[in-house]
C-alpha cells in the first residue's frame, strides 16, 4: 500500500511546486458595482500543477454578473474545484473505487486456479494436471468456475473494506509511533532512496493484522459458500462420504447458487453454520493479511530504491511486489488454510448438533501442503494483476482533480 493513499497528502503537491490554481470570480453587490473575489484551489494529480487566472467582467446589471458567477462555478474543469456529486465522491474515495474494480478483474481472471487449489486441498489427486483433467472430463469448463459468484461479491467487498481499514490503521499506528517514539514512519517510507526499517515493517504488519481480523466476519460465510460450490460434485460422490447418512446431506449442496447454498447451510446447520471454521479463518486472515501488506509495502520500497524511482508507484516495482506479497503470505499460512478447508468440507456433511472432528494444523507435513504450488502461482498472478490495476486506476482517478 503506497504512502500516497492518504487523501489529505495531496496538499504536498502544492508545497513542492509552489503553485496554485486561482480563479477571479465576479460578485456583484446590490448597488450594481462590480467587485472581484479571488478563490484559490489546489491543483493536484499526475503531472505538473498549473496556475490559471480568469478575470470576468460584468455589465452594470447585477443579474448578469450573478449569472456569470454561477456559470463559472458550475463549469467542470474551470479550476473552481466544483463538479457533479458522483465525480467528487469518486475522487474522495479513490482507494475504495480502485480496490473494488481491481478485485473484480483479478478474481475473474484467476478463479480457475483457486478452484483447482480447493479441490487439491480437500481431495487426493496425482497432481495439478490430474486435477485439471478430472475436473474438465466430469464437469467441463463450468467446473472451473463453480462458485464464482460468491467470491466475486465477497472478495470485492472484503478487499475494499480491508484496504480502507488498513489505510486508516496504518496512519493511526504511524501517528502513535511518532508521538511516543519520535519516529516518522511515513516520512521515512516516502523519502527517496530509503530502506525498510523495523518500525515500518512492524507498523505495516500491525495495520494488516487489524484489517485481516476485521474482515473475517464478512468473509467467512462467503468463503464457506464458495468452498461448498467448488467441491459439491465431489462431496456428492458416495465414496467420499464418511457415513452412509452423510450422502443425502452432501448431495443437497450440488448445483445450487450462492443464495440457495447459504439457505441449505442454514437448513442443515443453523445460522451459526455460516461461520463454520471461524476460528481457523480468523487465524488465517489475521496472520496472512499482516504478512501480505507488510511484504507489499516493504518490497515495493526496496524495489523503488533499487530502481532509483522517487514516485513510489513504479509499475515494475508494483507488479513484482504484488506478486511477491501473495507468495510469501500463502507460504506462511497455507497449513492453516488447509485445516480450515478440510474442517469446513467435513462439516457440510453433518447436520446441526452432530459432532465434527477438529482438524489439527500441522506445519511441515506434506499432506497439509497439497495444492501449495497452485495457490502460490494463483496468488502471485492475482496480486500482480490486482496491484497493477489498483495503482493505475488510483492514479487516473487522482488525475481527475486537475479537470
Amino acid at each position: 500500500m503506497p504512502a500516497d493513499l492518504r487523501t489529505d497528502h495531496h496538499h504536498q503537491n502544492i508545497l513542492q511546486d509552489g503553485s496554485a490554481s486561482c480563479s477571479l470570480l465576479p460578485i456583484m453587490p446590490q448597488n450594481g458595482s462590480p467587485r472581484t473575489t479571488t478563490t484559490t484551489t489546489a491543483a493536484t494529480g499526475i503531472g505538473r500543477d498549473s496556475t490559471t487566472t480568469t478575470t470576468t467582467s460584468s455589465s452594470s446589471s447585477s443579474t448578469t454578473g450573478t449569472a456569470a458567477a454561477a456559470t463559472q462555478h458550475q463549469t467542470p474543469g474551470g479550476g473552481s474545484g466544483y463538479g457533479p456529486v458522483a465525480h467528487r465522491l469518486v475522487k474522495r474515495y479513490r482507494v475504495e473505487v480502485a480496490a473494488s474494480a481491481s478485485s473484480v478483474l483479478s478474481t475473474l481472471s484467476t478463479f480457475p486456479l483457486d478452484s483447482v487449489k480447493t479441490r487439491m486441498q480437500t481431495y487426493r489427486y496425482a497432481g495439478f494436471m490430474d486435477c485439471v483433467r478430472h475436473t474438465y472430463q466430469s464437469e467441463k469448463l463450468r467446473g472451473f468456475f463453480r462458485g464464482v459468484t460468491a467470491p466475486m461479491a465477497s472478495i470485492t467487498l472484503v478487499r475494499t473494506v480491508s484496504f480502507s481499514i488498513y489505510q486508516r490503521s496504518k496512519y493511526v499506528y504511524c501517528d502513535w509511533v511518532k508521538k511516543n517514539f519520535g519516529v516518522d514512519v511515513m516520512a521515512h517510507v516516502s523519502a527517496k532512496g530509503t530502506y525498510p526499517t523495523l518500525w515500518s515493517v512492524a507498523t505495516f504488519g500491525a495495520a494488516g493484522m487489524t484489517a485481516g481480523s476485521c474482515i473475517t466476519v464478512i468473509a467467512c460465510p462467503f468463503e464457506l459458500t464458495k468452498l461448498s460450490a467448488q467441491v459439491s460434485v465431489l462431496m456428492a460422490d458416495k465414496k467420499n462420504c464418511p457415513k452412509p447418512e452423510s450422502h443425502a446431506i452432501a448431495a443437497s449442496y450440488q448445483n445450487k447458487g450462492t443464495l440457495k447454498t447459504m439457505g441449505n447451510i442454514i437448513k442443515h446447520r443453523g445460522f451459526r453454520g455460516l461461520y463454520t471454521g471461524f476460528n481457523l479463518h480468523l487465524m488465517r486472515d489475521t496472520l496472512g493479511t499482516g504478512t501480505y501488506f507488510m511484504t507489499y509495502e516493504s518490497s515495493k520500497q526496496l524495489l523503488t530504491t533499487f530502481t532509483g524511482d522517487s514516485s513510489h508507484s513504479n509499475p515494475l516495482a508494483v507488479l513484482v511486489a504484488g506478486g511477491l506479497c501473495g507468495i510469501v503470505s500463502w507460504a506462511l499460512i497455507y497449513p492453516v488454510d488447509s485445516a480450515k478447508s478440510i474442517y469446513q468440507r467435513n462439516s457440510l456433511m453433518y447436520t446441526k448438533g452432530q459432532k465434527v472432528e477438529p482438524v489439527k494444523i500441522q506445519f511441515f507435513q506434506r499432506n497439509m501442503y497439497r495444492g501449495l504450488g497452485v495457490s502460490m502461482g494463483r496468488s502471485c498472478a492475482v496480486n500482480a494483476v490486482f496491484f497493477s490495476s489498483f495503482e493505475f486506476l488510483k492514479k487516473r482517478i487522482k488525475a481527475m482533480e486537475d479537470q
Side-chain angles (χ1 to χ4, degrees):
M1 185 78 68
D4 65 345
L5 287 182
R6 198 175 191 181
T7 306
D8 60 0
H9 272 204
H10 70 272
H11 295 294
Q12 294 176 356
N13 295 336
I14 307 171
L15 298 176
Q16 293 172 358
D17 191 62
S19 61
S21 174
C22 300
S23 297
L24 301 178
L25 304 180
I27 299 178
M28 300 301 297
Q30 293 181 357
N31 60 10
S33 60
R35 60 186 175 88
T36 303
T37 299
T38 302
T39 59
T40 304
T41 304
T44 60
I46 307 305
R48 298 179 59 187
D49 296 338
S50 59
T51 301
T52 305
T53 303
T54 306
T55 304
T56 306
S57 60
S58 60
S59 63
S60 58
S61 169
S62 62
T63 304
T64 305
T66 303
T71 302
Q72 182 73 15
H73 273 282
Q74 294 173 358
T75 302
S80 62
Y82 293 97
V85 174
H87 185 79
R88 296 199 299 270
L89 287 175
V90 167
K91 289 188 294 183
R92 181 177 180 181
Y93 297 103
R94 59 179 176 268
V95 171
E96 288 80 5
V97 172
S100 299
S102 300
S103 292
V104 172
L105 175 64
S106 59
T107 301
L108 186 62
S109 61
T110 59
F111 189 77
L113 289 175
D114 182 69
S115 184
V116 172
K117 181 268 295 185
T118 302
R119 289 165 182 262
M120 291 183 69
Q121 280 181 323
T122 52
Y123 294 95
R124 290 187 177 276
Y125 292 93
F128 172 77
M129 291 308 300
D130 180 51
C131 182
V132 171
R133 188 182 307 109
H134 184 274
T135 301
Y136 181 76
Q137 289 176 349
S138 58
E139 304 174 54
K140 303 302 179 185
L141 286 176
R142 182 181 179 183
F144 295 100
F145 288 92
R146 286 188 183 277
V148 71
T149 305
M152 283 286 284
S154 64
I155 292 177
T156 300
L157 176 61
V158 165
R159 270 196 173 150
T160 302
V161 174
S162 176
F163 270 63
S164 183
I165 295 174
Y166 171 75
Q167 177 190 355
R168 285 154 179 78
S169 300
K170 177 173 67 174
Y171 287 106
V172 168
Y173 293 148
C174 285
D175 290 342
W176 183 85
V177 169
K178 183 177 180 180
K179 179 180 178 181
N180 290 276
F181 299 96
V183 179
D184 193 337
V185 175
M186 295 310 304
H188 172 78
V189 173
S190 301
K192 183 179 180 180
T194 58
Y195 296 90
T197 65
L198 179 62
W199 287 112
S200 65
V201 171
T203 301
F204 297 145
M209 293 177 73
T210 301
S213 61
C214 291
I215 62 176
T216 305
V217 178
I218 304 173
C220 189
F222 285 99
E223 190 152 330
L224 178 62
T225 304
K226 180 199 72 172
L227 180 140
S228 170
Q230 288 176 328
V231 301
S232 60
V233 174
L234 296 170
M235 284 198 309
D237 192 337
K238 290 185 177 181
K239 67 181 181 181
N240 292 324
C241 294
K243 298 179 180 179
E245 57 269 25
S246 300
H247 179 258
I249 301 172
S252 67
Y253 288 97
Q254 194 171 1
N255 298 322
K256 282 183 168 58
T258 301
L259 295 179
K260 288 185 177 180
T261 298
M262 284 188 172
N264 204 42
I265 293 172
I266 295 173
K267 174 185 175 182
H268 291 298
R269 300 190 55 79
F271 181 80
R272 292 182 62 183
L274 293 174
Y275 287 89
T276 298
F278 179 82
N279 291 339
L280 291 169
H281 200 141
L282 178 64
M283 183 186 299
R284 187 202 70 174
D285 282 357
T286 301
L287 294 176
T289 308
T291 306
Y292 177 85
F293 281 113
M294 179 178 64
T295 304
Y296 175 72
E297 296 275 21
S298 300
S299 59
K300 192 179 75 164
Q301 184 183 1
L302 279 172
L303 291 167
T304 300
T305 297
F306 290 157
T307 57
D309 194 331
S310 60
S311 65
H312 289 275
S313 58
N314 180 290
L316 180 60
V318 170
L319 181 71
V320 175
L324 187 62
C325 73
I327 292 175
V328 174
S329 60
W330 270 116
L332 173 67
I333 53 92
Y334 199 78
V336 182
D337 185 66
S338 290
K340 177 197 72 71
S341 296
I342 295 170
Y343 180 78
Q344 288 179 328
R345 186 276 315 268
N346 292 345
S347 299
L348 291 175
M349 291 185 280
Y350 292 87
T351 59
K352 182 179 179 181
Q354 291 182 317
K355 184 180 179 180
V356 182
E357 291 296 325
V359 178
K360 186 178 179 180
I361 301 172
Q362 296 176 305
F363 287 91
F364 310 114
Q365 295 293 321
R366 185 173 182 178
N367 65 307
M368 300 301 287
Y369 288 89
R370 291 199 302 263
L372 175 60
V374 179
S375 293
M376 294 176 72
R378 169 194 165 275
S379 186
C380 180
V382 165
N383 289 288
V385 172
F386 173 81
F387 277 108
S388 296
S389 174
F390 172 78
E391 297 285 2
F392 173 78
L393 289 175
K394 185 165 61 68
K395 288 174 65 177
R396 291 300 297 267
I397 294 172
K398 184 178 180 181
M400 291 168 57
E401 295 178 349
D402 288 331
Q403 298 177 0

